[in-house]
Amino acid sequence: MSLFEPANTQRLDQDVVEQALQWMVTVQSGVSTEAELLACQHWRAQSAQHELAWQRLTGLNTDIRDSTRMLPAAGARTLLRSRNAPGRRTLLKGFAGLGVMLATGYGVRERVLLPELFSDYRTATGERRQLTLAEGVDLTLDTHTALDTRTTAAGTELFLSLGRVLVSAGDIRLSTANGQVLPAPRSRLVISHNLPWQAGTQVQVLSGSASIKLARGDSLSLDAGQQVTFDSQTDSTPRPVTVGADAWVNGLLIAERMPLGQVIAQLNLYRRGVVRCDPQVAALRVSGSFSIDRPDASLDLLTRVLPIRVQRVFGYWANVVAA
């Protein structure tokens, strides 16, 4: 019997699960005090539900301690001991997310938490946001996107530190850590940076054109229907735009012989909780249209067309494995 199918099938209140998750982050942070450890023990002893939630979480063997090693001990200690309860809750959930990303193999450096907390414009799990800037630029921010505005000698510039954005361009420049994108007037393009299934930056020109100045010194131009992915090392040869490049704006994921692992990685961005894909089935090819607004329904649809099944625990974790 797996950890995702416990012998005790008692359902747990979602608030209790989140409390257990917060206590686990605190205890495994490496900077918790003796008083906090005693408080955790007291919380566990308060009710059978508390202890059951704790035991199920610890049974998943996800060590959150690694996620806080990114921060200096003094900084982690200050944040974990914050007196602001809502801020502490948000922080602990953020640490938990970092721990989960480590456990699922995502590079934490590519998906840092801080830009999502402190950027000028940002979106939460499952959220998409439309903006119109003073420069006459219309933007649609995808889920888990962090975007900043900064003033340079050349004028206003947008900086995408994480996520994906649809740009209907006026006079604007948009940069990432890998380079600068300059859309032609009335162009429409999708720019993404450091997505879980994509290293570096990708630019997809849906209409019009764009020029790109790579941080490593190269320059290139893209016309409508072309896309390019680049970072400090990879080849930057333009290719045809992927089918359904902007389908996410309308709540859809269009897959055309897409590896199942990538489909799951995309659905994971829109779902509260964590979805993992077993490497044994990650290479299965998927074609079809899936809802990102209803990711669990999309997971169920996948089980009807592929030889896979979904193991769930708490309604929070999901594991896609061979049927």
Side-chain angles (χ1 to χ4, degrees):
M1 182 171 291
S2 76
L3 294 170
F4 290 86
E5 297 169 346
N8 187 336
T9 57
Q10 178 182 351
R11 294 185 63 84
L12 294 173
D13 184 88
Q14 186 63 35
D15 286 341
V16 172
V17 175
E18 292 189 1
Q19 290 169 28
L21 186 59
Q22 291 178 55
W23 279 119
M24 179 172 291
V25 172
T26 301
V27 169
Q28 296 190 353
S29 67
V31 295
S32 54
T33 65
E34 183 175 349
E36 286 173 323
L37 296 177
L38 290 173
C40 177
Q41 293 177 9
H42 177 71
W43 177 85
R44 291 171 56 186
Q46 282 181 341
S47 74
Q49 276 240 333
H50 289 188
E51 181 62 20
L52 180 59
W54 178 265
Q55 293 299 331
R56 287 190 186 174
L57 283 177
T58 54
L60 291 173
N61 196 30
T62 302
D63 187 357
I64 307 301
R65 183 181 295 109
D66 287 343
S67 66
T68 58
R69 287 178 183 156
M70 296 171 57
L71 297 175
R77 185 178 298 111
T78 299
L79 291 171
L80 282 169
R81 296 176 186 171
S82 169
R83 295 182 180 179
N84 182 302
R88 178 185 175 91
R89 178 184 179 89
T90 299
L91 174 71
L92 293 177
K93 291 179 72 174
F95 276 151
L98 288 172
V100 167
M101 282 187 280
L102 282 169
T104 54
Y106 295 159
V108 171
R109 290 184 180 179
E110 279 70 40
R111 297 194 61 202
V112 292
L113 176 67
L114 295 181
E116 290 185 80
L117 291 178
F118 300 114
S119 293
D120 295 331
Y121 305 104
R122 55 193 179 275
T123 52
T125 299
E127 179 187 8
R128 293 186 298 278
R129 183 179 179 188
Q130 292 184 327
L131 300 170
T132 298
L133 303 184
E135 294 82 359
V137 179
D138 291 324
L139 304 173
T140 302
L141 277 61
D142 198 5
T143 185
H144 286 297
T145 293
L147 187 72
D148 284 289
T149 302
R150 62 187 184 186
T151 302
T152 68
T156 302
E157 181 175 308
L158 300 178
F159 186 83
L160 179 65
S161 54
L162 181 70
R164 179 163 57 181
V165 60
L166 173 69
V167 181
S168 296
D171 182 16
I172 197 69
R173 293 169 300 282
L174 191 148
S175 296
T176 72
N178 303 122
Q180 184 183 71
V181 183
L182 297 95
R186 296 181 295 281
S187 295
R188 189 167 176 267
L189 57 163
V190 173
I191 303 172
S192 54
H193 181 65
N194 280 351
L195 299 178
W197 59 93
Q198 168 203 300
T201 299
Q202 184 177 79
V203 179
Q204 299 170 296
V205 179
L206 307 180
S207 62
S209 61
S211 59
I212 303 173
K213 296 180 180 178
L214 280 63
R216 66 187 187 218
D218 304 358
S219 296
L220 57 94
S221 297
L222 294 181
D223 293 321
Q226 291 185 309
Q227 71 178 41
V228 68
T229 304
F230 56 92
D231 58 19
S232 60
Q233 298 174 334
T234 56
D235 178 40
S236 52
T237 302
R239 293 177 172 82
V241 168
T242 305
V243 173
D246 61 341
W248 55 269
V249 175
N250 297 311
L252 293 175
L253 163 61
I254 307 299
E256 184 177 359
R257 293 193 54 77
M258 185 181 294
L260 176 62
Q262 181 174 333
V263 173
I264 298 304
Q266 295 201 40
L267 292 177
N268 183 50
L269 280 181
Y270 298 91
R271 182 182 182 275
R272 183 187 181 192
V274 179
V275 188
R276 295 190 293 183
C277 185
D278 191 307
Q280 291 185 350
V281 297
L284 292 174
R285 295 290 172 171
V286 179
S287 295
S289 175
F290 303 92
S291 171
I292 56 177
D293 292 329
R294 301 179 59 206
D296 279 298
S298 295
L299 289 175
D300 292 337
L301 176 59
L302 286 167
T303 65
R304 294 197 290 271
V305 297
L306 293 173
I308 60 173
R309 59 192 176 98
V310 180
Q311 301 170 321
R312 290 182 172 91
V313 60
F314 304 142
Y316 190 89
W317 276 274
N319 199 28
V320 179
V321 299

